[in-house]
């Protein structure tokens, strides 16, 4: 099929933006060094860019759903400067004790997005800085890239930075 798309699914906190632990103020949204350029390279290579995030601060009552929406508006504006358009941003608003079906490591939000946007997961990647990102990606059928100081045994690839992650995408156009 010609119209099957591929995507890079990315965790948000600690992967695309600096993890500020229950970030609330949209003005505190700050890209990780190299993330803008990396996402732009991915988008230019034909991948849809999708954010998949756990935002349990909502379920824990530390912030409102509207705070997270404003953060994502802010993130979209920041990424515009790199010519990056986010095809979708999905987040789980639940606390872990709610045992919902969407919190990573569940692959649900990835699979939902793949369904909505006709994305072939086997040609797609999930990139994140936690085990739960890697498990979610794997269970959705994506290749996975772990970003961290050490290698992640479950991940397809392990790298030290998002700039490095870009090198593992096939047909990369830089
Ligand atoms: Mg993270
Ligand atoms: Zn959830």
């Amino acid at each position: 099929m010609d119209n099957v798309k591929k995507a890079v699914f990315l965790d948000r906190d600690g992967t695309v933006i600096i993890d500020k632990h229950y970030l609330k103020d949209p003005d505190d949204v700050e890209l990780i060094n190299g993330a803008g350029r990396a996402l732009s390279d991915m988008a230019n290579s034909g991948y849809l860019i999708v954010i998949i995030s756990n935002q349990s601060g909502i379920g824990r009552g530390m912030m409102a759903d509207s705070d997270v929406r404003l953060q994502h508006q802010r993130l979209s504006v920041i990424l515009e400067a790199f010519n990056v358009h986010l095809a979708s941003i999905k987040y789980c608003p639940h606390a872990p004790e709610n045992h919902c079906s969407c919190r990573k490591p569940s692959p649900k939000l990835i699979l939902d997005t793949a369904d909505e946007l006709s994305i072939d997961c086997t040609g797609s990647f999930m990139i994140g800085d936690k085990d739960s990102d890697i498990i979610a990606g794997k269970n959705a059928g994506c290749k996975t890239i772990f970003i961290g100081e050490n290698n992640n045994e479950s991940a397809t690839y392990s790298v030290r930075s998002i700039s490095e992650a870009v090198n593992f995408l096939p047909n990369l156009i830089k």
Side-chain angles (χ1 to χ4, degrees), residues 1-7 9 46 48 50 87 110-124:
M1 275 195 292
D2 285 343
N3 55 351
V4 169
K5 297 175 207 130
K6 54 189 179 167
F9 299 98
L48 296 179
V50 177
I110 298 177
L111 293 171
D112 285 354
T113 312
D115 237 35
E116 286 168 23
L117 302 179
S118 302
I119 293 165
D120 167 29
C121 282
T122 60
S124 299

Side-chain angles (χ1 to χ4, degrees), residues 92-94 100-103:
C92 162
H94 308 111
C100 68
S101 62
C102 52
R103 182 175 166 82

